[in-house]
Amino acid sequence: MINFVLNDKRVTAEPGMTILQAAEMNGVDIPHLCYLEGCSDITSCRICVVEVVGARNLVPSCSTPVAEDMVVYSHSDAVVSARKDLLELMLADHIGDCKPPCHQACPANTECQRYVRLIAKGNYQEALELNKEVNPFPASIGRVCPHPCEEACRRQLVEEPISIASLKRFVADIDLNSGNVFLPEMKPATGKKVAVIGGGPGGLTAAFFLAKDGHQVVVFEAMPKAGGMLRYGIPEYRLPKAVLDQEISVIEKMGVEIKCNIRIGQDVQFTDLREDYDAVYVAIGAWASSPMRCQGENLEGVIGGIDFLEKVATQNPVQLGKKVAVVGGGNTAMDACRTAVRMGAEEVYLLYRRTRSEMPAEEIEIIEAEEEGVIFKYLVAPTEILGADGKVKQIKLQKMELGEPDASGRRKPVPIPGAEEIIDVDNVIAAIGQQVVPTGLDELELTKWNTIQADKNTFATNLPGVFAGGDGTNEGPGIAIQAIGDATKAAPFITRYLNGEEISYQKPFWVKRDDLTSEDFLDREKKYRSHMKHLSPEERKTNFKEIGFGFTEEDAKKEAARCLECGCEKVFDCELLQYSNEYQVDGRLYHTEKKPTPIDYTNEMYVSDHNKCIMCRKCVKMCSELQCTNAIGFSQRSSEIHVSPPFDQTLDTSRCVSCGNCVNVCPVGALLPKDNNHFLFNTTRKVQTTCAYCGVGCQFNFLVSGNKITGVEPVKGPANDGLLCVKGRFAYNFIDHPDRLTKPLLKKDGQFVEISWDEAYQTIIDKITEIKGKYGPDVFGGLSSSRTTNEDNYMVQKFMRGIIGTNNVDNCARV
């Protein structure tokens, strides 16, 4: 054995070992991207460099042999700096998206691409469970979310974005209507208690994930029922409360206790909660309507948008006249004016100080409001509400024009001198914003907006053990999925705090593309969005019935199949991404003029994407040195060198045998299976088995999620040395094929018909008996593979000799 020093510790290694192999033998992980066991030690990535005392420069550990008394440092400052720089250089040439733009745009980081693709394949339960990994309210959010994911969807560069929210609702409704609603797996009880202040979408989401982590959770809600703005701020016609109640009931089934009609500072003190519970999550929301700051807004008949919707939701009396003016341009304003229509108002005005194109409300909300008769007046701002006998009679409007863009990027409305208008109204509903009222939370540090100051990454407040998120924090109100996203991200930090762990945050690094235009998708066939059926304007104007009926299964699968699948399917096990995050790269330090090249889809089993290739050589080594196929190598076009089959062939026309061993060793997403189920499902375990396609006995792992096989990876065994053929690697999909036989078939009158297993067994017995009686037992023969066990062989022998009556048995057959 060779003795040397590794990171100030004296260790040993076998003669002939490289520093990389010796480090691995001694439990020290050195990053590497080009090393492949059993192949030549040509160094290309150099990520494995280490510091050897006495050497002039850093040396690659994958090709440098260990020597007696050598002193090696695997993670010195110089080594870490060099690796970071090498990674930055690789990323300069690495073109692609780690995560799709829809995922990055979602405040809860929903795996949109994955669940949409699962729906396209008919895996609805898996799509639902994937949603619930970040959002316990997919049915509710699928109905009401303004879906920033769709605004980021690249399908709009072809024609229209994917209906991501409606697809979310589709799988969630299947679950709620199944009679067996999905309950997540719960961790063992920790004995820790957490108080959640606020039973809205943010507070209930925090409760959901904290309960999953095994904590005892109690939610304190000021209103008569939980649900927050989902219940009291969104009308029934958009979100039926029966749907919301079903989703809340799941959280209660998980053991979460919800105490309603409890106000902090009045019914319970904040200091008492801090003493009685191990941690507190504050999600109080924003329940006060912002004032218009114009004369006359205290007159009878003037009401805030949130107050108006809350009164309607709680069935408290609201006196509405024939003419109603709603001030604002967001979704709350749309809800208010459309609710006023349903309550019998004859004229409903929507007053907005900018033009329609600047309105923040969803386009569909604007269209449906117009269909229901709402009168839109643009470029007007209220200056005074006029009244008589203390009641609203008129509203005076200042006409505006658009000037220069403001801080939000929208053109700022500027008054037109002397241009005014007065309209007769009986009510004015102010829907221009919401404010936070942090009553009873005096110990918490507040911002200049009177919201709770919380760390934007860890959600920790100025008080130990107290965390906060949602509308009541930092910049104030957002959309429901943002409050849900805050809670989803906060829950792990709360659990870390409860476990006594350090609370820290490191921003994850992703590679993303922002250079794509419609020109890049000219080859795509135009397939427009599926549109769900809904009530006509005449049917919906006089009631609060839900407008949309949801997707049919046919429409949902058709819509989901439109997804461009932008994100990289290697994202969960990409070594380049793993190292980039470990070494906290920036990814923008270097820039090259590498131009994107078309992705090669010609191979039946996998795809090749040169844009993501980092020239590590592992696929070439595998193909030429281990597989001995020589189907791929290094080619050069102009000044660019890339990996491809020789003579500019495609994979399909080269010597490639589609074994997929190059796919297995690719450390990035340059080579991927065409149907990568492993990416779609959350693989939780590996099951080692023997390939049954022939008698060689190759070993591999089934990648298993629940009861589904999602992929195959080779295992180094005596028969295959870590390699597989095309069948062993790719031909497993028949297991879940919809046409796979699940019951025995028997041909009767020329047609195969299903029969019972008892009838099948009896048919086999009768046929054996018939042949045996006619030709004798020696027409039969029994074969068993050389890979079978002694017990298997013994069973075959006993059956053939005892039941059939023949000695025609071969227990070492190569079958």
Side-chain angles (χ1 to χ4, degrees):
M1 300 294 287
I2 294 174
N3 297 286
F4 73 108
V5 177
L6 177 61
N7 298 335
D8 295 325
K9 181 180 178 181
R10 195 156 191 85
V11 295
T12 59
E14 296 176 7
M17 274 189 168
T18 63
I19 296 175
L20 179 64
Q21 293 169 326
E24 186 176 300
M25 174 182 169
N26 287 279
V28 176
D29 180 41
I30 295 177
H32 56 85
L33 291 168
C34 68
Y35 170 73
L36 188 61
E37 185 179 355
C39 292
S40 57
D41 57 2
I42 300 173
T43 302
S44 58
C45 76
R46 298 189 67 84
I47 296 297
C48 69
V49 292
V50 295
E51 185 176 353
V52 175
V53 175
R56 294 180 60 185
N57 299 302
L58 301 179
V59 301
S61 62
C62 70
S63 59
T64 304
V66 69
E68 188 71 27
D69 294 327
M70 176 184 279
V71 179
V72 179
Y73 292 97
S74 65
H75 288 78
S76 66
D77 291 343
V79 167
V80 170
S81 177
R83 287 177 187 161
K84 184 174 181 178
D85 206 40
L86 287 163
L87 288 166
E88 296 279 7
L89 286 167
M90 283 186 197
L91 291 168
D93 268 348
H94 190 70
I95 302 174
D97 293 284
C98 292
K99 290 284 189 177
C102 53
H103 169 91
Q104 297 184 58
C106 176
N109 296 136
T110 308
E111 292 283 359
C112 309
Q113 175 182 331
R114 291 172 66 202
Y115 83 71
V116 166
R117 186 164 156 192
L118 283 166
I119 292 171
K121 295 167 72 71
N123 298 113
Y124 306 137
Q125 182 63 28
E126 289 79 6
L128 179 278
E129 293 179 17
L130 191 59
N131 263 287
K132 288 220 165 184
E133 287 187 1
V134 295
N135 173 17
F137 295 99
S140 299
I141 294 301
R143 285 167 163 82
V144 305
C145 188
H147 42 68
C149 54
E150 295 183 21
E151 294 178 15
C153 177
R154 287 208 184 109
R155 185 76 205 196
Q156 63 190 310
L157 296 176
V158 182
E159 16 40 18
E160 298 176 299
I162 307 295
S163 298
I164 300 172
S166 295
L167 290 171
K168 186 196 305 285
R169 170 189 171 173
F170 170 74
V171 293
D173 283 355
I174 290 175
D175 179 57
L176 293 182
N177 296 326
S178 67
N180 185 26
V181 178
F182 169 72
L183 283 173
E185 185 177 346
M186 311 264 294
K187 293 180 180 179
T190 63
K192 301 291 186 179
K193 296 169 57 180
V194 183
V196 175
I197 300 175
L204 292 173
T205 297
F208 176 89
F209 288 107
L210 290 168
K212 270 186 68 177
D213 283 344
H215 310 310
Q216 181 183 344
V217 185
V218 180
V219 177
F220 297 89
E221 167 57 42
M223 299 297 286
K225 284 188 173 183
M229 287 298 170
L230 292 179
R231 183 180 300 279
Y232 298 107
I234 296 177
E236 180 80 6
Y237 65 83
R238 287 181 61 204
L239 174 57
K241 300 311 172 278
V243 172
L244 178 62
D245 288 337
Q246 281 183 282
E247 296 196 301
I248 293 175
S249 70
V250 172
I251 298 173
E252 292 180 302
K253 288 176 184 177
M254 294 170 63
V256 173
E257 182 182 0
I258 302 175
K259 295 184 177 182
C260 294
N261 292 310
I262 303 292
R263 294 187 177 275
I264 305 302
Q266 180 176 319
D267 302 300
V268 65
Q269 300 302 315
F270 182 50
T271 53
D272 293 337
L273 292 181
R274 292 187 61 204
E275 290 179 5
D276 297 339
Y277 292 83
D278 300 296
V280 179
Y281 184 70
V282 183
I284 58 174
W287 285 80
S289 297
S290 298
M292 291 183 290
R293 294 186 175 86
C294 69
Q295 187 175 343
E297 64 178 322
N298 294 322
L299 289 170
E300 183 181 337
V302 180
I303 187 172
I306 293 299
D307 303 319
F308 170 66
L309 294 172
E310 180 189 328
K311 285 181 180 294
V312 175
T314 55
Q315 298 183 348
N316 283 324
V318 180
Q319 298 299 322
L320 280 189
K322 295 181 179 181
K323 298 182 178 182
V324 177
V326 178
V327 182
N331 286 328
T332 299
M334 296 299 107
D335 291 338
C337 64
R338 297 179 67 188
T339 296
V341 169
R342 284 160 174 75
M343 294 186 67
E346 296 177 3
E347 291 183 18
V348 178
Y349 297 93
L350 191 286
L351 311 177
Y352 184 55
R353 61 180 184 156
R354 289 184 169 94
T355 65
R356 172 173 171 153
S357 61
E358 281 88 25
M359 284 185 74
E362 283 189 80
E363 179 67 14
I364 186 63
E365 289 289 308
I366 300 171
I367 292 172
E368 290 181 348
E370 290 174 332
E371 291 175 345
E372 293 165 8
V374 174
I375 304 165
F376 284 73
K377 295 182 75 68
Y378 298 108
L379 290 170
V380 294
T383 57
E384 185 178 359
I385 300 172
L386 307 173
D389 301 324
K391 297 180 180 179
V392 173
K393 294 297 180 183
Q394 295 175 315
I395 184 168
K396 181 185 291 187
L397 304 174
Q398 169 68 59
K399 294 185 178 181
M400 316 290 283
E401 61 183 356
L402 293 181
E404 297 299 317
D406 61 13
S408 67
R410 296 182 297 174
R411 293 174 65 189
K412 186 176 181 180
V414 179
I416 301 175
E420 293 182 334
E421 179 183 2
I422 296 177
I423 58 175
D424 295 333
V425 293
D426 301 306
N427 298 87
V428 176
I429 300 175
I432 60 173
Q434 299 162 237
Q435 294 182 337
V436 179
V437 183
T439 304
L441 302 171
D442 300 334
E443 299 172 76
L444 287 171
E445 181 182 349
L446 303 180
T447 69
K448 63 181 180 180
W449 299 286
N450 206 41
T451 58
I452 299 167
Q453 181 74 57
D455 187 282
K456 294 181 181 180
N457 297 314
T458 67
F459 304 93
T461 67
N462 61 305
L463 301 177
V466 179
F467 300 78
D471 288 354
T473 61
N474 299 328
E475 285 82 11
I479 56 179
I481 191 64
Q482 185 173 328
I484 288 171
D486 283 359
T488 303
K489 297 167 188 172
F493 289 110
I494 297 173
T495 293
R496 286 186 207 174
Y497 171 81
L498 294 171
N499 292 340
E501 300 172 16
E502 180 184 355
I503 299 176
S504 60
Y505 172 82
Q506 179 183 322
K507 184 179 180 180
F509 169 79
W510 308 111
V511 175
K512 61 181 180 180
R513 295 191 67 177
D514 53 11
D515 60 332
L516 293 169
T517 68
S518 57
E519 297 292 319
D520 295 289
F521 298 98
L522 292 177
D523 61 326
R524 302 287 178 146
E525 179 186 355
K526 293 188 182 298
K527 299 177 181 179
Y528 290 88
R529 284 164 68 115
S530 299
H531 293 283
M532 72 172 66
K533 294 181 179 179
H534 58 276
L535 295 173
S536 68
E538 292 72 26
E539 291 175 297
R540 67 190 189 232
K541 284 171 61 175
T542 59
N543 59 73
F544 284 84
K545 292 180 181 178
E546 184 173 15
I547 291 176
F549 299 152
F551 276 145
T552 64
E553 181 175 10
E554 180 183 357
D555 286 340
K557 294 182 76 171
K558 179 181 176 183
E559 178 64 17
R562 297 175 59 237
C563 178
L564 296 173
E565 299 176 6
C566 307
C568 181
E569 297 181 3
K570 186 75 173 179
V571 66
F572 299 116
D573 51 4
C574 174
E575 295 173 46
L576 177 63
L577 181 60
Q578 173 193 331
Y579 293 144
S580 295
N581 278 286
E582 180 181 341
Y583 287 89
Q584 300 182 38
V585 300
D586 180 81
R588 296 171 296 180
L589 296 185
Y590 302 102
H591 176 71
T592 65
E593 297 299 327
K594 179 179 178 180
K595 295 181 179 180
T597 57
I599 300 173
D600 183 359
Y601 292 99
T602 56
N603 188 275
E604 185 180 355
M605 301 302 176
Y606 54 92
V607 298
S608 174
D609 186 354
H610 297 309
N611 302 301
K612 297 174 183 175
C613 180
I614 58 172
M615 303 295 287
C616 68
R617 299 173 181 257
K618 288 179 79 171
C619 58
V620 176
K621 291 178 182 179
M622 169 59 74
C623 191
S624 61
E625 299 182 38
L626 296 183
Q627 186 65 23
C628 300
T629 304
N630 292 308
I632 52 177
F634 290 99
S635 300
Q636 183 169 356
R637 294 177 188 158
S638 300
S639 60
E640 183 181 331
I641 299 175
H642 59 274
V643 175
S644 71
F647 308 112
D648 287 335
Q649 298 179 83
T650 64
L651 287 171
D652 204 38
T653 59
S654 71
R655 297 179 61 188
C656 177
V657 295
S658 300
C659 64
N661 292 308
C662 56
V663 176
N664 296 330
V665 299
C666 179
V668 293
L671 292 167
L672 285 170
K674 254 188 179 171
D675 193 3
N676 192 6
N677 289 320
H678 180 47
F679 164 72
L680 295 181
F681 295 88
N682 294 324
T683 301
T684 56
R685 58 196 175 99
K686 298 180 180 181
V687 179
Q688 185 169 340
T689 187
T690 303
C691 182
Y693 271 100
C694 71
V696 172
C698 295
Q699 299 295 294
F700 64 78
N701 284 331
F702 274 130
L703 307 176
V704 182
S705 175
N707 63 350
K708 290 185 180 293
I709 294 173
T710 64
V712 162
E713 67 175 17
V715 171
K716 191 170 184 178
N720 59 316
D721 201 28
L723 303 177
L724 287 175
C725 72
V726 60
K727 287 187 176 180
R729 177 63 179 83
F730 293 110
Y732 66 90
N733 285 332
F734 72 90
I735 296 171
D736 294 318
H737 197 283
D739 296 332
R740 184 187 181 202
L741 296 181
T742 57
K743 292 183 179 180
L745 302 178
L746 180 64
K747 184 175 282 189
K748 295 181 178 180
D749 299 326
Q751 299 290 327
F752 281 108
V753 295
E754 287 188 0
I755 59 175
S756 68
W757 286 105
D758 287 340
E759 186 178 353
Y761 298 145
Q762 190 60 52
T763 300
I764 294 170
I765 292 169
D766 293 343
K767 184 62 68 174
I768 291 174
T769 303
E770 177 188 343
I771 295 172
K772 182 179 175 182
K774 189 173 182 179
Y775 300 104
D778 287 338
V779 300
F780 293 96
L783 304 176
S784 61
S785 168
S786 59
R787 307 300 300 182
T788 54
T789 65
N790 289 335
E791 290 80 7
D792 295 331
N793 290 329
Y794 182 71
M795 180 190 71
V796 171
Q797 290 182 33
K798 292 292 287 184
F799 178 79
M800 297 306 297
R801 290 175 177 145
I803 304 299
I804 303 298
T806 181
N807 282 318
N808 295 334
V809 184
D810 186 349
N811 290 123
C812 294
R814 286 285 180 173
V815 294

